[in-house]
Amino acid sequence: MDFKIAVIKGDGVGPEIIDEGIKVLKKIGEVYNHKFEFRYALGGGDAIDKMGTPLPEESLDICRDSQAVLLGAVGGPKWDNVNGDIRPEKGLLRLREELGLFANLRPVNVYESIKEISPLKIDRLKSKVDFVVVRELTGGIYFGERGTSIIDGVSEAYDVEKYTEKEIRRIGKMALDIASRRRKKLISVDKANVLESSRLWRSIIDDLSKEYKDVEVRHMYVDNAAMQLIKDPSQFDVILTNNIFGDIISDEASMITGSIGMLPSASLRNDNFGMYEPIHGSAPDIAGKGIVNPIATILSASMLLRHSLNLNRESDSIDKAVQEVLIKGYRTEDIYEGYGIKVSTKEMGDLISNHIK
Ligand code: IPM
Ligand code: MG
């Protein structure tokens, strides 16, 4: 079959990791007889430099006219001082908003073969750690009213956290559907002891949960959730949360696996369309050195095949290839602990691609 995939390399390590993601997808194309048409689009700081905006209209058009988007990473110190409206991150936020990608899935798996790189004591990882953070992605404080002013010579600034019932229902339903296909345990994370928006969130999730009798639904305050993740990460199956808590919780969760370089993500809406990216940033400090871990991007490409193109067998074969390469002891620098075989970004991409069957 023929598939159209928009590709945004972005900044920092973005181009390096995307090259490896594409390498693996091309291999899938050969082995399973699919034709992927990769359509490159500018985004982030790269687009600011070339076009003066972090998300040119033509990039958005390319994304809209594709079945999925594969994105590297955006941002870097070079653009730290540009106006907030044209920061690289703004391009990413606009992409999410314009494409209506309200649900962000961030699966967290501790691989048996690299368990020892986790900063957690090994006995905390005795039970299997396998959960997914479902983060609301197009609402809340990221998109609420904001402003700055100077009153009597004193500066002030504000950002509003606001959620509508409709926004909470659609993400809640998505998370409950996912939980009902997994171990049927959902923990909704909020700050309902303080925030009005969280109290609405909680009441709507309670209401929705009546339609999912088979899913056990619990609520947890975000501060407690941050602690529980370190104390006993295996208790989680699906973590549902708002935009900003999800941003923070998912970075914390990634470290349980030992490296943020291992975590993929999918940003979805209610049809098959989606955008796929590693959860890590553009890592300008290691860009161009050939040492970045491409696994988060390769696993994002796998999620793309599964969620947007319905190619489950192909997605399984990428996941399996990653596991095999790790079991054989190959490690990029971020997951190297003194033994095994240290490899570069490109070598890791080659190894995974060669293990695709
Ligand atoms: C993420 C990132 C983004 C976010 C930034 C780059 C705007 O941290 O995807 O988690 O905050 O959503
Ligand atoms: Mg983040």
Side-chain angles (χ1 to χ4, degrees):
M1 286 249 300
D2 285 16
F3 301 101
K4 290 196 268 187
I5 302 175
V7 180
I8 300 178
K9 293 188 173 188
D11 312 316
V13 296
E16 293 166 72
I17 51 179
I18 285 290
D19 284 351
E20 303 315 306
I22 300 282
K23 186 185 282 174
V24 170
L25 285 174
K26 282 189 174 153
K27 184 65 187 283
I28 288 284
E30 279 167 34
V31 175
Y32 291 89
N33 223 345
H34 300 301
K35 222 161 110 211
F36 298 113
E37 187 195 323
F38 299 109
R39 315 160 89 217
Y40 293 89
L42 294 177
D46 183 33
I48 296 177
D49 289 350
K50 293 178 181 144
M51 315 277 289
T53 160
L55 183 65
E57 281 311 310
E58 57 192 80
S59 295
L60 202 48
D61 288 342
I62 294 175
C63 293
R64 285 204 182 101
D65 184 45
S66 302
Q67 284 156 282
V69 183
L70 184 66
L71 184 135
V74 300
K78 183 174 174 197
W79 304 279
D80 271 352
N81 296 317
V82 301
N83 173 325
D85 284 340
I86 59 158
R87 275 187 72 105
E89 290 81 358
K90 190 76 188 178
L92 179 59
L93 297 180
R94 244 200 98 211
L95 259 176
R96 292 172 178 169
E97 188 182 24
E98 294 282 339
L99 299 172
L101 304 168
F102 66 87
N104 185 214
L105 274 46
R106 298 185 162 185
V108 179
N109 281 298
V110 172
Y111 288 89
E112 202 50 46
S113 50
I114 55 165
K115 226 175 172 172
E116 70 280 355
I117 67 162
S118 172
L120 292 190
K121 285 200 188 113
I122 216 79
D123 65 300
R124 309 233 168 210
L125 302 171
K126 252 190 253 140
S127 310
K128 198 168 162 43
V129 175
D130 168 15
F131 62 88
V132 57
V133 178
V134 179
R135 167 190 179 192
E136 199 291 327
L137 202 62
T138 52
I141 200 164
Y142 273 60
F143 295 93
E145 194 195 318
R146 69 193 61 217
T148 53
S149 53
I150 301 176
I151 294 171
D152 296 335
V154 181
S155 300
E156 53 177 59
Y158 67 94
D159 302 87
V160 174
E161 168 79 355
K162 177 175 154 188
Y163 270 106
T164 64
E165 174 171 352
K166 192 173 148 216
E167 287 170 322
I168 303 169
R169 270 191 194 279
R170 66 180 180 185
I171 189 72
K173 194 172 171 334
M174 173 85 84
L176 281 156
D177 283 335
I178 291 170
S180 67
R181 292 193 300 269
R182 292 177 50 103
R183 298 196 306 278
K184 305 188 193 320
K185 274 172 42 184
L186 181 130
I187 292 186
S188 175
V189 169
D190 63 35
K191 190 69 186 171
N193 49 348
V194 178
L195 305 177
E196 207 57 66
S197 53
S198 281
R199 286 192 276 273
L200 178 67
W201 182 283
R202 208 174 254 228
S203 74
I204 288 169
I205 301 305
D206 275 339
D207 187 46
L208 264 179
S209 69
K210 291 179 197 142
E211 295 162 37
Y212 293 81
K213 293 263 182 288
D214 59 331
V215 179
E216 177 204 322
V217 176
R218 283 171 53 207
H219 302 281
M220 200 179 268
Y221 296 138
V222 62
D223 46 354
N224 184 28
M227 183 186 79
Q228 295 293 336
L229 271 171
I230 302 300
K231 194 173 162 219
D232 177 17
S234 63
Q235 69 183 293
F236 296 101
D237 178 22
V238 176
I239 298 179
L240 162 64
T241 191
N242 72 7
N243 204 342
I244 190 149
F245 295 159
D247 180 44
I248 300 165
I249 284 282
S250 60
D251 265 35
E252 185 194 5
S254 77
M255 261 334 271
I256 299 169
T257 71
S259 171
I260 197 168
M262 298 293 298
L263 257 70
S265 82
S267 302
L268 307 173
R269 55 192 196 198
N270 278 328
D271 55 13
N272 288 331
F273 184 86
M275 182 161 80
Y276 302 82
E277 52 177 315
I279 86 154
H280 64 75
S282 60
D285 52 324
I286 59 164
K289 296 189 178 161
I291 57 171
V292 60
N293 186 348
I295 292 181
T297 309
I298 290 169
L299 292 174
S300 300
S302 162
M303 290 186 89
L304 182 156
L305 298 179
R306 195 180 303 279
H307 293 279
S308 284
L309 309 183
N310 217 354
L311 300 177
N312 291 323
R313 213 169 33 134
E314 290 80 344
S315 173
D316 286 344
S317 96
I318 296 183
D319 297 351
K320 208 158 155 256
V322 168
Q323 294 225 17
E324 282 172 8
V325 167
L326 291 175
I327 288 171
K328 288 186 179 165
Y330 295 104
R331 307 280 184 263
T332 42
E333 197 149 302
D334 57 312
I335 54 173
Y336 182 76
E337 283 276 280
Y339 52 91
I341 309 130
K342 206 192 268 187
V343 296
S344 68
T345 307
K346 278 202 160 52
E347 286 165 336
M348 184 55 101
D350 287 338
L351 281 159
I352 294 169
S353 159
N354 291 336
H355 279 75
I356 301 279
K357 296 187 258 306

Coordinates of all heavy atoms in Angstrom, one line a residue, residues 178-248:
I178 N -8.7 3.3 26.2 CA -7.3 2.6 26.2 C -7.2 1.7 27.4 O -6.8 0.6 27.3 CB -6.2 3.7 26.3 CG1 -6.2 4.5 24.9 CG2 -4.9 3.1 26.6 CD1 -5.4 5.7 24.9
A179 N -7.7 2.2 28.6 CA -7.6 1.3 29.8 C -8.4 0.0 29.6 O -8.0 -1.0 30.1 CB -8.2 2.1 31.0
S180 N -9.6 0.1 29.0 CA -10.4 -1.1 28.8 C -9.7 -2.1 27.9 O -10.0 -3.3 27.9 CB -11.8 -0.7 28.4 OG -11.8 -0.2 27.1
R181 N -8.8 -1.6 27.1 CA -8.0 -2.6 26.2 C -6.7 -3.0 26.9 O -6.0 -3.8 26.3 CB -7.7 -1.9 24.9 CG -8.9 -1.7 24.0 CD -8.5 -1.3 22.6 NE -7.6 -0.1 22.5 CZ -8.1 1.1 22.3 NH1 -9.4 1.3 22.2 NH2 -7.3 2.1 22.2
R182 N -6.4 -2.4 28.1 CA -5.2 -2.8 28.8 C -5.5 -3.6 30.1 O -6.4 -4.4 30.1 CB -4.3 -1.6 29.1 CG -3.7 -0.9 27.8 CD -3.0 0.4 28.2 NE -2.1 0.2 29.3 CZ -0.7 0.0 29.1 NH1 -0.2 0.2 27.9 NH2 0.1 -0.1 30.2
R183 N -4.9 -3.2 31.2 CA -5.2 -3.9 32.4 C -6.3 -3.3 33.2 O -6.6 -3.6 34.4 CB -3.9 -3.9 33.3 CG -2.7 -4.6 32.6 CD -1.6 -5.0 33.5 NE -1.0 -3.9 34.3 CZ -0.1 -3.0 33.8 NH1 0.3 -3.1 32.6 NH2 0.3 -2.0 34.6
K184 N -7.1 -2.4 32.6 CA -8.3 -1.9 33.1 C -8.2 -1.1 34.4 O -9.0 -1.2 35.3 CB -9.4 -3.0 33.3 CG -9.6 -3.8 32.0 CD -10.7 -4.8 32.1 CE -10.7 -5.8 30.9 NZ -10.4 -5.2 29.6
K185 N -7.1 -0.4 34.5 CA -6.9 0.5 35.7 C -6.6 1.9 35.3 O -5.6 2.1 34.6 CB -5.8 -0.1 36.6 CG -6.2 -1.2 37.5 CD -5.1 -1.9 38.2 CE -3.9 -1.0 38.7 NZ -2.8 -1.7 39.3
L186 N -7.4 2.8 35.7 CA -7.1 4.2 35.3 C -6.9 5.1 36.5 O -7.8 5.0 37.4 CB -8.2 4.7 34.4 CG -8.0 6.2 33.9 CD1 -8.3 6.3 32.4 CD2 -9.0 7.1 34.6
I187 N -5.8 5.8 36.5 CA -5.7 6.8 37.6 C -5.7 8.2 37.0 O -4.9 8.5 36.1 CB -4.3 6.6 38.4 CG1 -4.5 5.2 39.2 CG2 -4.0 7.7 39.3 CD1 -3.4 4.9 40.1
S188 N -6.7 9.0 37.4 CA -6.8 10.3 36.9 C -6.1 11.3 37.9 O -6.4 11.3 39.1 CB -8.3 10.7 36.8 OG -8.4 12.0 36.4
V189 N -5.2 12.0 37.3 CA -4.3 12.9 38.2 C -4.8 14.4 38.1 O -4.9 14.9 37.0 CB -2.8 12.8 37.7 CG1 -1.9 13.8 38.3 CG2 -2.3 11.4 38.0
D190 N -5.0 15.0 39.2 CA -5.4 16.4 39.3 C -4.9 17.1 40.5 O -4.1 16.5 41.3 CB -7.0 16.4 39.2 CG -7.7 15.7 40.3 OD1 -7.1 15.8 41.5 OD2 -8.7 15.1 40.2
K191 N -5.5 18.3 40.8 CA -5.2 19.0 42.0 C -6.5 19.5 42.5 O -6.7 20.8 42.7 CB -4.1 20.1 41.7 CG -3.5 20.8 42.9 CD -2.6 19.9 43.7 CE -2.2 20.7 45.0 NZ -1.5 19.8 46.0
A192 N -7.4 18.6 42.7 CA -8.8 19.0 43.0 C -9.0 19.5 44.5 O -10.0 20.1 44.8 CB -9.8 17.8 42.8
N193 N -7.9 19.4 45.3 CA -8.0 20.0 46.6 C -7.7 21.5 46.6 O -7.9 22.2 47.5 CB -7.0 19.3 47.6 CG -5.6 19.1 47.0 OD1 -5.4 19.3 45.8 ND2 -4.6 18.8 47.8
V194 N -7.3 22.0 45.4 CA -7.0 23.4 45.3 C -7.7 24.1 44.1 O -8.3 25.1 44.2 CB -5.5 23.7 45.2 CG1 -5.2 25.1 45.0 CG2 -4.8 23.1 46.4
L195 N -7.7 23.4 42.9 CA -8.1 24.0 41.7 C -9.5 23.7 41.3 O -9.9 22.5 41.2 CB -7.2 23.6 40.5 CG -5.7 23.9 40.7 CD1 -4.9 23.3 39.6 CD2 -5.4 25.3 40.9
E196 N -10.3 24.7 40.9 CA -11.6 24.6 40.4 C -11.7 23.7 39.1 O -12.5 22.9 39.0 CB -12.2 26.0 40.1 CG -13.7 26.1 40.2 CD -14.3 25.7 41.6 OE1 -14.0 26.4 42.6 OE2 -15.0 24.7 41.6
S197 N -10.7 24.0 38.2 CA -10.7 23.2 37.0 C -10.5 21.8 37.2 O -11.0 20.9 36.5 CB -9.5 23.8 36.1 OG -8.3 23.8 36.8
S198 N -9.7 21.4 38.3 CA -9.5 20.0 38.6 C -10.8 19.4 39.2 O -11.1 18.2 39.0 CB -8.4 19.9 39.7 OG -7.1 20.0 39.1
R199 N -11.6 20.2 39.9 CA -12.8 19.7 40.5 C -13.8 19.3 39.4 O -14.5 18.3 39.4 CB -13.4 20.6 41.5 CG -12.6 20.6 42.8 CD -13.4 21.4 43.9 NE -13.2 22.8 43.9 CZ -12.1 23.4 44.5 NH1 -11.2 22.7 45.2 NH2 -12.0 24.7 44.5
L200 N -13.8 20.2 38.3 CA -14.7 19.9 37.2 C -14.2 18.6 36.5 O -14.9 17.7 36.2 CB -14.7 21.0 36.2 CG -15.5 20.8 34.9 CD1 -17.0 20.7 35.3 CD2 -15.3 21.9 33.9
W201 N -12.9 18.5 36.3 CA -12.2 17.4 35.7 C -12.6 16.1 36.4 O -13.1 15.1 35.8 CB -10.7 17.6 35.8 CG -9.8 16.5 35.2 CD1 -9.6 15.3 35.7 CD2 -9.1 16.6 33.9 NE1 -8.7 14.6 34.9 CE2 -8.5 15.4 33.8 CE3 -9.0 17.6 32.9 CZ2 -7.7 15.1 32.7 CZ3 -8.3 17.3 31.8 CH2 -7.6 16.0 31.7
R202 N -12.5 16.1 37.7 CA -12.8 14.9 38.6 C -14.3 14.5 38.4 O -14.6 13.3 38.2 CB -12.5 15.2 40.0 CG -12.1 14.0 40.8 CD -11.7 14.5 42.2 NE -10.3 14.4 42.4 CZ -9.7 13.8 43.4 NH1 -10.4 13.3 44.4 NH2 -8.4 13.8 43.5
S203 N -15.2 15.5 38.4 CA -16.6 15.1 38.4 C -17.0 14.5 37.0 O -17.8 13.6 36.9 CB -17.5 16.3 38.8 OG -17.5 17.2 37.7
I204 N -16.3 15.1 36.0 CA -16.6 14.5 34.6 C -16.1 13.1 34.4 O -16.7 12.2 33.9 CB -16.2 15.5 33.6 CG1 -17.2 16.7 33.6 CG2 -16.2 14.9 32.2 CD1 -16.8 17.9 32.8
I205 N -14.9 12.9 35.0 CA -14.3 11.6 34.9 C -15.1 10.6 35.6 O -15.4 9.4 35.2 CB -12.8 11.6 35.3 CG1 -11.9 12.5 34.5 CG2 -12.2 10.1 35.3 CD1 -12.0 12.3 33.0
D206 N -15.6 11.0 36.8 CA -16.5 10.1 37.6 C -17.8 9.7 36.8 O -18.2 8.6 36.8 CB -16.9 10.8 38.9 CG -15.9 10.6 40.0 OD1 -15.1 9.6 39.9 OD2 -15.8 11.4 41.0
D207 N -18.3 10.8 36.2 CA -19.5 10.6 35.4 C -19.3 9.6 34.2 O -20.0 8.6 34.0 CB -20.0 11.9 34.9 CG -21.4 11.8 34.2 OD1 -22.2 11.2 34.8 OD2 -21.5 12.4 33.1
L208 N -18.2 9.8 33.5 CA -17.8 9.0 32.4 C -17.6 7.5 32.8 O -17.9 6.6 32.1 CB -16.5 9.5 31.7 CG -16.6 10.4 30.5 CD1 -15.2 10.8 30.2 CD2 -17.3 9.8 29.4
S209 N -17.0 7.4 34.0 CA -16.6 6.1 34.4 C -17.8 5.1 34.6 O -17.6 3.9 34.5 CB -15.7 6.1 35.7 OG -16.6 6.5 36.7
K210 N -19.0 5.7 34.8 CA -20.2 4.9 34.9 C -20.4 4.0 33.6 O -21.0 3.0 33.7 CB -21.4 5.7 35.2 CG -21.3 6.4 36.5 CD -22.6 7.3 36.7 CE -22.4 8.3 37.9 NZ -22.9 9.6 37.6
E211 N -19.9 4.5 32.5 CA -20.1 3.8 31.2 C -19.0 2.7 31.1 O -19.0 2.0 30.1 CB -20.0 4.8 30.0 CG -21.2 5.7 30.0 CD -20.8 6.9 29.1 OE1 -20.2 6.7 28.0 OE2 -21.2 8.1 29.4
Y212 N -18.0 2.7 32.0 CA -16.9 1.7 31.8 C -16.8 0.9 33.1 O -15.9 1.0 33.9 CB -15.6 2.5 31.6 CG -15.5 3.2 30.3 CD1 -16.1 4.4 30.1 CD2 -14.9 2.6 29.2 CE1 -16.0 5.1 28.9 CE2 -14.8 3.3 28.0 CZ -15.4 4.5 27.8 OH -15.3 5.2 26.6
K213 N -17.8 0.1 33.3 CA -17.9 -0.7 34.5 C -16.7 -1.6 34.8 O -16.4 -1.9 35.9 CB -19.2 -1.5 34.5 CG -20.5 -0.7 34.6 CD -21.0 -0.6 36.0 CE -22.3 0.1 36.1 NZ -22.2 1.6 35.9
D214 N -16.1 -2.0 33.7 CA -15.0 -3.0 33.8 C -13.6 -2.3 34.1 O -12.6 -2.9 34.4 CB -14.8 -3.8 32.5 CG -14.6 -2.9 31.3 OD1 -15.0 -1.7 31.3 OD2 -13.9 -3.3 30.4
V215 N -13.6 -0.9 34.1 CA -12.4 -0.2 34.4 C -12.4 0.4 35.8 O -13.4 1.0 36.2 CB -12.1 1.0 33.4 CG1 -10.8 1.7 33.7 CG2 -12.1 0.4 31.9
E216 N -11.4 0.1 36.6 CA -11.3 0.6 37.9 C -10.7 2.0 37.8 O -9.6 2.2 37.4 CB -10.3 -0.3 38.8 CG -10.1 0.1 40.2 CD -8.8 -0.4 40.7 OE1 -8.5 -1.6 40.4 OE2 -8.1 0.3 41.4
V217 N -11.5 3.0 38.3 CA -11.1 4.4 38.1 C -10.8 5.0 39.5 O -11.6 4.9 40.4 CB -12.2 5.3 37.5 CG1 -11.8 6.7 37.4 CG2 -12.4 4.8 36.1
R218 N -9.5 5.6 39.6 CA -9.2 6.2 40.9 C -8.6 7.6 40.6 O -8.2 7.9 39.5 CB -8.0 5.4 41.6 CG -8.5 4.2 42.3 CD -7.3 3.4 42.8 NE -6.4 4.2 43.6 CZ -5.1 3.9 43.7 NH1 -4.6 2.9 43.1 NH2 -4.3 4.6 44.4
H219 N -8.7 8.5 41.6 CA -8.2 9.8 41.4 C -6.9 10.0 42.3 O -6.8 9.4 43.4 CB -9.2 10.9 41.9 CG -10.5 10.8 41.1 ND1 -10.6 11.3 39.8 CD2 -11.6 10.2 41.4 CE1 -11.8 11.1 39.4 NE2 -12.5 10.4 40.3
M220 N -6.0 10.8 41.9 CA -4.8 11.0 42.7 C -4.3 12.4 42.5 O -4.3 13.0 41.3 CB -3.7 10.0 42.1 CG -2.6 9.8 43.1 SD -1.3 8.6 42.4 CE -2.0 7.0 43.0
Y221 N -4.0 13.1 43.6 CA -3.4 14.5 43.4 C -2.1 14.4 42.8 O -1.3 13.5 43.0 CB -3.3 15.1 44.8 CG -4.6 15.3 45.5 CD1 -4.7 15.1 46.9 CD2 -5.7 15.8 44.8 CE1 -5.9 15.2 47.6 CE2 -7.0 15.9 45.5 CZ -7.1 15.7 46.8 OH -8.2 15.9 47.5
V222 N -1.8 15.4 42.0 CA -0.6 15.4 41.2 C 0.7 15.3 42.1 O 1.7 14.6 41.7 CB -0.5 16.6 40.2 CG1 -0.5 17.9 40.9 CG2 0.7 16.4 39.3
D223 N 0.7 15.9 43.2 CA 1.9 15.8 44.1 C 2.1 14.4 44.6 O 3.2 13.9 44.5 CB 1.9 16.9 45.2 CG 0.6 16.9 46.0 OD1 -0.4 16.2 45.5 OD2 0.5 17.6 47.0
N224 N 1.0 13.8 44.9 CA 1.1 12.4 45.4 C 1.5 11.5 44.2 O 2.4 10.6 44.3 CB -0.2 11.9 45.9 CG -0.2 10.5 46.5 OD1 0.8 10.1 46.9 ND2 -1.3 9.9 46.5
A225 N 1.0 11.8 43.0 CA 1.3 10.9 41.8 C 2.8 11.0 41.5 O 3.4 10.0 41.2 CB 0.5 11.4 40.6
A226 N 3.4 12.2 41.7 CA 4.8 12.4 41.4 C 5.6 11.5 42.4 O 6.6 10.9 42.0 CB 5.2 13.9 41.6
M227 N 5.1 11.4 43.6 CA 5.8 10.6 44.6 C 5.6 9.1 44.3 O 6.5 8.3 44.4 CB 5.3 10.9 46.0 CG 5.9 10.2 47.1 SD 5.1 10.6 48.7 CE 3.7 9.5 48.6
Q228 N 4.3 8.7 44.1 CA 4.0 7.3 43.8 C 4.8 6.7 42.6 O 5.1 5.5 42.6 CB 2.5 7.1 43.6 CG 1.6 7.5 44.8 CD 1.8 6.5 45.9 OE1 2.2 5.3 45.8 NE2 1.5 7.0 47.1
L229 N 5.0 7.6 41.6 CA 5.8 7.1 40.4 C 7.1 6.6 40.8 O 7.7 5.6 40.2 CB 5.9 8.2 39.4 CG 4.8 8.4 38.4 CD1 5.0 9.7 37.7 CD2 4.7 7.2 37.5
I230 N 7.8 7.2 41.8 CA 9.1 6.8 42.2 C 9.0 5.6 43.2 O 9.8 4.7 43.2 CB 9.8 8.0 42.9 CG1 9.9 9.2 41.9 CG2 11.2 7.6 43.4 CD1 10.7 8.9 40.7
K231 N 8.0 5.7 44.1 CA 7.8 4.7 45.1 C 7.4 3.3 44.6 O 8.0 2.3 44.9 CB 6.7 5.2 46.1 CG 6.7 4.5 47.4 CD 5.7 5.1 48.3 CE 5.3 4.2 49.4 NZ 3.9 4.2 49.7
D232 N 6.5 3.3 43.7 CA 6.0 2.0 43.2 C 5.4 2.2 41.7 O 4.2 2.2 41.5 CB 4.9 1.5 44.1 CG 4.3 0.2 43.6 OD1 4.9 -0.4 42.7 OD2 3.2 -0.2 44.1
P233 N 6.3 2.3 40.7 CA 5.8 2.6 39.4 C 4.9 1.5 38.8 O 4.1 1.8 37.9 CB 7.1 2.8 38.6 CG 8.2 2.2 39.4 CD 7.8 2.3 40.8
S234 N 5.0 0.3 39.3 CA 4.3 -0.8 38.7 C 2.8 -0.7 39.0 O 2.0 -1.5 38.4 CB 4.9 -2.2 39.1 OG 4.7 -2.3 40.4
Q235 N 2.4 0.1 39.9 CA 1.0 0.2 40.3 C 0.2 0.9 39.1 O -1.1 0.8 39.1 CB 0.8 1.0 41.6 CG 1.1 2.5 41.4 CD 0.9 3.3 42.7 OE1 -0.1 3.5 43.3 NE2 2.1 3.8 43.2
F236 N 0.8 1.5 38.2 CA 0.1 2.3 37.2 C -0.2 1.5 35.9 O 0.7 0.7 35.5 CB 0.9 3.6 36.8 CG 1.0 4.5 38.0 CD1 2.2 4.6 38.7 CD2 0.0 5.4 38.3 CE1 2.3 5.5 39.8 CE2 0.1 6.3 39.4 CZ 1.3 6.3 40.1
D237 N -1.3 1.7 35.3 CA -1.6 1.2 34.0 C -1.9 2.3 33.0 O -1.1 2.5 32.1 CB -2.9 0.2 34.2 CG -3.3 -0.4 32.8 OD1 -2.5 -0.4 31.9 OD2 -4.5 -0.8 32.7
V238 N -3.0 3.1 33.3 CA -3.2 4.3 32.5 C -3.2 5.5 33.4 O -4.0 5.5 34.4 CB -4.5 4.2 31.7 CG1 -4.8 5.5 31.0 CG2 -4.5 3.0 30.7
I239 N -2.4 6.5 33.2 CA -2.5 7.7 33.9 C -3.1 8.8 33.0 O -2.6 9.1 32.0 CB -1.1 8.2 34.3 CG1 -0.4 7.2 35.2 CG2 -1.1 9.6 35.0 CD1 1.0 7.6 35.7
L240 N -4.2 9.3 33.5 CA -4.9 10.4 32.7 C -4.6 11.7 33.3 O -4.8 11.8 34.6 CB -6.4 10.1 32.6 CG -7.3 11.3 32.2 CD1 -7.0 11.7 30.8 CD2 -8.8 10.9 32.4
T241 N -4.3 12.7 32.6 CA -4.0 14.0 33.2 C -4.1 15.2 32.2 O -4.2 15.0 31.0 CB -2.7 14.0 34.0 OG1 -2.6 15.2 34.8 CG2 -1.5 13.9 33.1
N242 N -4.1 16.4 32.8 CA -4.3 17.6 31.9 C -2.9 17.9 31.3 O -2.0 17.2 31.4 CB -4.8 18.7 32.8 CG -3.8 19.3 33.7 OD1 -2.6 18.9 33.7 ND2 -4.2 20.2 34.6
N243 N -2.9 19.0 30.5 CA -1.8 19.3 29.7 C -0.5 19.6 30.5 O 0.5 18.9 30.3 CB -2.2 20.6 28.9 CG -1.4 20.7 27.6 OD1 -0.3 20.0 27.4 ND2 -1.8 21.5 26.7
I244 N -0.6 20.4 31.5 CA 0.7 20.8 32.2 C 1.1 19.7 33.1 O 2.3 19.4 33.2 CB 0.6 22.2 32.9 CG1 2.0 22.6 33.4 CG2 -0.4 22.2 34.0 CD1 2.2 24.1 33.4
F245 N 0.2 19.1 33.8 CA 0.6 18.0 34.7 C 1.2 16.8 33.9 O 2.2 16.2 34.3 CB -0.5 17.5 35.6 CG -1.1 18.5 36.6 CD1 -2.4 18.3 37.1 CD2 -0.4 19.6 37.0 CE1 -3.0 19.2 38.0 CE2 -0.9 20.5 37.9 CZ -2.2 20.3 38.4
G246 N 0.6 16.6 32.7 CA 1.1 15.5 31.9 C 2.5 15.8 31.4 O 3.3 14.9 31.2
D247 N 2.8 17.1 31.1 CA 4.1 17.5 30.6 C 5.2 17.1 31.7 O 6.2 16.5 31.4 CB 4.2 19.0 30.4 CG 5.5 19.4 29.9 OD1 6.1 18.8 29.0 OD2 6.0 20.5 30.4
I248 N 4.8 17.4 32.9 CA 5.8 17.2 34.0 C 5.9 15.7 34.4 O 7.0 15.2 34.5 CB 5.4 18.1 35.2 CG1 5.4 19.6 34.9 CG2 6.3 17.8 36.4 CD1 4.6 20.5 35.8

